[in-house]
Amino acid sequence: MKIAIMGYGTIGSGVAAVLEKNRDSIARKTGEPVELKYVLDLREFPGDPIEKKLVHDVDVIMNDPEVGIVVETMGGVEPACTFVKKALSAGKSVTTSNKALVAKKGTELLALAKENHVSFLFEASVGGGIPIIRPLNQCLTADEIMEITGILNGTTNYILTKMDKEGESLETVLKDAQEKGYAEKDPTADIEGYDACRKIAILSSLAYGSQVDFEDIYTEGITKITSEDFKYARELGMSIKLLATSRRAGGRFCALVAPMLVGEDHPLYAVNGVFNGILVEGNMADKLMFYGRGAGSLPTASAVVSDVIEMAKNPGETLLTSWSSEKLPLADRGSWTGRYFVRMEGSREEKRVLLGEIFGDVSYVEIPGLKEFGFVTPVMTEAEYDQKAAQAGGVIHMLRIAR
Ligand code: HSE
């Protein structure tokens, strides 16, 4: 089996390294050696082991009938999409680590793969080295998936963990993360939640069988989280995590990405630093936890190569059940149900009667030295919360509480 890698960055070079390091065991599992024939990149890599395999023209790969599998690790929607379409149309199976591509074009590329009797796989696009796509697609097929909640972004989890443990501001921790290479120079996609949003859209589309458009998912990043929020969280015995979640609720589907308070007894509480965790709830299997490295060269490459092996073992087959192109309508943010932690201006004494009348039975939390107070509401929809919060006035910040 001869393969090509498109994009020799962090993940592409990791794929070449995994193929080389585990050459023998991969050949045993595949039933034949897997040989890297081409690497496509615009740059030169003098002295690199792949130097002689480097090509700058995608058509060299597309026109070579020996290449049966193409690995796409370029990132971004274009030109990755055009190249992947070319490969699938040329009868080559494709695996990608590119969540932007899968979230935007997944349905179309799955259909094109089917038409051409090849596969389009994307194990590495969500959760890096964590196996999550194959479990959803193959192992949990007897279940109706009720909920998926994940810490799907390592950068923001690193930042929030450090803010929690060291009491630092977001600005300071972000700078440190950038210096260590855990955050990009332009961190927008991570800290605004866009990356996690694409990943939960992919998982939800697979789990519920219809297209979930990431544009429909209400998304809040972590930019408004302060060290004061963490003081309250500690007082409540909780932490703050950026959660990406979708669930069935009364025959409808709800999805959102937002920083949430997570209690000590929640399975995602212990997922710290750059690690990712994904909690899946099936109506038969009940709760399942997937944990591991959500990014990084070798862990992500491991997931990519697992797709390569799977495709090499099943030539001429379309492996992944496509999700339907029918759009899954999502209920709006207002129908989200849960408890809310609210930081409010003023003092508990002066607001106690008013808040009791508006919110009912709330529990209070105060931090010495802060000229404000916090409280936790009973369970209600977000539409109800919005209306009550407007009526009460003086809200400084609201955080949802993970259930
Ligand atoms: N920036 C992403 C993360 C990379 O931190 O999870 C992996 O998708």
Side-chain angles (χ1 to χ4, degrees):
M1 175 51 70
K2 298 203 176 12
I3 76 163
I5 297 172
M6 303 193 295
Y8 197 61
T10 308
I11 303 168
S13 57
V15 171
V18 170
L19 288 171
E20 184 53 38
K21 196 163 172 45
N22 290 348
R23 170 189 296 276
D24 295 342
S25 66
I26 290 170
R28 245 192 342 268
K29 287 166 200 158
T30 311
E32 60 175 318
V34 175
E35 190 197 317
L36 177 59
K37 187 164 183 187
Y38 301 113
V39 174
L40 176 76
D41 205 289
L42 288 173
R43 298 163 293 178
E44 301 293 341
F45 296 93
D48 194 288
I50 57 88
E51 191 182 3
K52 292 203 168 61
K53 299 176 180 181
L54 198 64
V55 292
H56 301 303
D57 177 4
V58 71
D59 288 328
V60 175
I61 297 170
M62 300 307 156
N63 295 333
D64 186 339
E66 274 196 344
V67 174
I69 295 171
V70 174
V71 169
E72 188 279 302
T73 46
M74 302 164 63
V77 177
E78 281 300 347
C81 184
T82 305
F83 292 179
V84 168
K85 279 185 183 169
K86 272 190 176 198
L88 295 171
S89 305
K92 303 176 195 306
S93 285
V94 175
T95 166
T96 182
S97 58
N98 183 341
K99 64 251 160 180
L101 176 69
V102 180
K104 185 93 189 157
K105 302 282 183 181
T107 332
E108 200 182 326
L109 297 172
L110 282 164
L112 188 60
K114 210 170 186 174
E115 244 173 68
N116 289 283
H117 311 289
V118 290
S119 293
F120 175 64
L121 300 186
F122 41 87
E123 184 59 66
S125 65
V126 181
I130 306 173
I132 183 64
I133 304 291
R134 209 165 285 124
L136 279 177
N137 195 54
Q138 287 181 359
C139 315
L140 287 168
T141 42
D143 275 60
E144 293 279 343
I145 304 299
M146 306 308 288
E147 176 171 340
I148 305 176
T149 299
I151 294 173
L152 298 178
N153 184 269
T155 303
T156 45
N157 205 44
Y158 174 84
I159 292 171
L160 292 174
T161 303
K162 219 161 153 81
M163 285 177 77
D164 191 1
K165 304 278 182 266
E166 293 172 17
E168 302 274 17
S169 71
L170 186 119
E171 212 179 19
T172 311
V173 178
L174 175 59
K175 218 164 144 254
D176 162 80
Q178 283 169 321
E179 276 161 15
K180 290 203 167 81
Y182 294 150
E184 311 250 353
K185 226 191 283 158
D186 176 2
T188 316
D190 292 320
I191 65 174
E192 294 294 355
Y194 307 151
D195 176 80
C197 169
R198 277 157 182 78
K199 290 169 176 168
I200 193 67
I202 295 170
L203 294 183
S204 306
S205 299
L206 265 179
Y208 310 130
S210 300
Q211 171 70 26
V212 174
D213 286 336
F214 66 85
E215 293 94 338
D216 294 346
I217 300 176
Y218 174 81
T219 300
E220 258 177 45
I222 63 164
T223 51
K224 293 197 182 82
I225 302 296
T226 62
S227 46
E228 281 75 30
D229 292 322
F230 276 105
K231 285 184 185 154
Y232 282 106
R234 264 192 291 280
E235 196 61 29
L236 289 162
M238 294 183 173
S239 188
I240 302 171
K241 308 279 186 193
L242 181 68
L243 298 187
T245 176
S246 70
R247 61 166 92 133
R248 289 175 201 259
R252 302 185 73 191
F253 293 87
C254 230
L256 66 86
V257 176
M260 294 193 206
L261 282 161
V262 177
E264 268 169 349
D265 53 351
H266 195 288
L268 292 169
Y269 179 84
V271 178
N272 286 319
V274 293
F275 282 85
N276 282 194
I278 306 159
L279 182 64
V280 178
E281 191 182 332
N283 67 342
M284 297 293 132
D286 202 6
K287 289 191 166 124
L288 301 133
M289 258 291 275
F290 299 84
Y291 172 85
R293 291 191 181 273
S297 179
L298 294 178
T300 310
S302 157
V304 173
V305 176
S306 79
D307 279 349
V308 171
I309 295 171
E310 202 59 20
M311 295 190 293
K313 278 163 64 181
N314 297 282
E317 269 187 57
T318 305
L319 290 172
L320 193 64
T321 328
S322 46
W323 65 68
S324 132
S325 58
E326 202 178 309
K327 188 178 156 93
L328 189 74
L330 295 179
D332 66 19
R333 180 180 67 82
S335 61
W336 185 263
T337 307
R339 288 185 304 146
Y340 307 85
F341 164 72
V342 186
R343 280 172 56 195
M344 184 157 273
E345 289 167 358
S347 73
R348 167 185 169 168
E349 286 68 37
E350 75 191 39
K351 299 267 175 88
R352 198 171 48 82
V353 175
L354 177 76
L355 291 177
E357 279 169 13
I358 297 175
F359 282 98
D361 200 7
V362 301
S363 46
Y364 290 96
V365 43
E366 284 167 303
I367 306 291
L370 289 187
K371 290 196 177 65
E372 54 169 85
F373 67 102
F375 65 91
V376 175
T377 73
V379 174
M380 63 185 72
T381 66
E382 207 154 311
E384 284 173 288
Y385 165 78
D386 284 348
Q387 182 257 319
K388 289 177 194 294
Q391 199 182 337
V395 172
I396 298 168
H397 195 193
M398 177 276 270
L399 282 167
R400 296 162 189 87
I401 299 180
R403 58 171 192 179

